[in-house]
Amino acid sequence: MSLLIDETTAEAVETGVSDTCSLDNYLSQPDHTMDDRIAAARERLGTDVVLLGHHYQRDEVIRFADYTGDSYKLSKVAAETSAKYMLFCGVHFMAETADVLGQPWQQVILPDLNAGCSMADMAEIGQVEDCWDSLTQGLGIRGQGLEGKVVPLTYMNSAAAIKAFCGERGGLVCTSSNARGAFEWAFARGEKILFLPDQHLGRNTAFGMGIPLSEMVVWDPYQINGGVTPDRLKAAKVILWKGHCSVHQRFLPEHVDRVRRDEPGMQVIVHPECRWEVCQKADTVGSTERIIDAIERAPEGASFAVGTEIHLVNRLAKRFAPLGKRVITLDDSGCLCTTMYRISPQHLAWALENLVEGRVVNRIKVDEDVKQWARVALDRMLEVKA
Ligand code: 13P
Ligand code: SF4
């Protein structure tokens, strides 16, 4: 069934919400009362809307997703879907990416605009532009600029303006599942990589390709010339932006040691946003999709300590227990991504019921001038296999 929303109405009331559909009326209701409402609104909207859900979403939200996945998989869905509305249950940079990759007649909705990403916020476009200028001077390059010398490569977890910056300067975007391929792509086109904004993913990927730590420098945007001497800069193959994920950085090497001591035979599997020291001690390092795949393919009786966001870990524990596989969190308390958590059943119901009424709330729209180059960088990313 397809319920067609009048385009003019949707555009005209993009920011206005009637009293009945005001968010406050939803937030005062308990989670479970949203289930039937979400299902009914989904039913009415039919194929006009597609729900994309990142693996870190809460169970009460992700159960309604048409597609679940890691950042790479969800980007591909966004690039290929013909739904008029993409409702993104994830964080801001993911919704921006869907808008860049979607068609001009498609609209992307983020149910809660406060669902950001602290890592993405660690690189601002002005800082990145300053860094680029400093690199030009620090490397003693005059006239022709950095093209062919330094390739800018940004992790998906960054603002659209930074993706555009990379696209315009011969660089690209990567996700945790195709970072190695993206590094190879970049090294085929330049001598050095400027990797934004996650130092850990950058370090783990480069080290996995055989680049020693001594050939990597960390660029601190709050220090003059990034806090890197010209000699070290010239010798470096990889310039790592000083950013991190506050969720994954909480996993420590001691956590792996404890599992090794207390749980013999248990495999340790972590996300590449974890520190290098943790990744070095783990058995497997991979994106959320890869983590799920590794557990799916393991034989009955296998057990895993997983270093990633707690909602995914708990979901895997529940799903695989009846199949005789044990999944626990790598640390003892479990790391929560508070911004992913912001997408609640109430926000989801609110966004969907407004759509049923012909109103697009919380639309994510990337400026056209940014979109053009961000798309170049994202298209290059999609060419690099996960
Ligand atoms: P994935 O692409 O592995 O799902 O990671 C996204 C993310 O934000 C992890 O913190
Ligand atoms: Fe950002 Fe970390 Fe949350 Fe991923 S887990 S969305 S990197 S804060």
Side-chain angles (χ1 to χ4, degrees), residues 33-47:
T33 60
M34 297 293 126
D35 288 1
D36 290 347
R37 293 174 66 168
I38 294 170
R42 283 287 295 107
E43 177 76 19
R44 288 198 62 193
L45 290 161
T47 53

Side-chain angles (χ1 to χ4, degrees), residues 54 56 71 90-94 116-121 155 157 198 244-249 271 273 308-309 335-341:
H54 186 265
Y56 294 161
S71 305
V91 287
H92 194 268
F93 69 79
M94 296 178 179
C117 164
S118 54
M119 176 204 285
D121 293 342
Y155 188 23
N157 303 27
D198 183 16
H244 63 267
C245 165
S246 39
V247 177
H248 288 90
Q249 205 170 258
H271 196 278
E273 287 173 17
T308 198
E309 207 273 342
C335 295
L336 165 80
C337 177
T338 49
T339 47
M340 284 276 183
Y341 188 74

Side-chain angles (χ1 to χ4, degrees), residues 75 102 109 160 162 236 282 364 380:
S75 305
I109 294 167
I162 290 175
I364 301 297
R380 288 178 184 144

Side-chain angles (χ1 to χ4, degrees), residues 96 100 125 128-129 152 154 158-173 366-378 380:
E96 271 193 337
V100 172
I125 186 64
V128 176
E129 284 165 351
T154 189
S158 56
I162 290 175
K163 294 181 174 81
F165 176 95
C166 293
E168 198 171 356
R169 288 160 187 80
L172 74 164
V173 178
V366 176
D367 287 348
E368 286 306 316
D369 50 337
V370 171
K371 214 175 207 182
Q372 182 199 342
W373 284 110
R375 170 119 209 176
V376 170
L378 282 163
R380 288 178 184 144

Side-chain angles (χ1 to χ4, degrees), residues 17-27 350 354:
V17 180
S18 78
D19 273 356
T20 43
C21 281
S22 114
L23 184 56
D24 287 345
N25 291 341
Y26 292 76
L27 294 178
W350 173 70
N354 268 285

Side-chain angles (χ1 to χ4, degrees), residues 239-259:
I239 303 152
L240 302 165
W241 191 262
K242 195 174 181 201
H244 63 267
C245 165
S246 39
V247 177
H248 288 90
Q249 205 170 258
R250 285 179 51 191
F251 295 107
L252 300 171
E254 299 83 283
H255 295 141
V256 184
D257 296 341
R258 194 180 49 214
V259 168

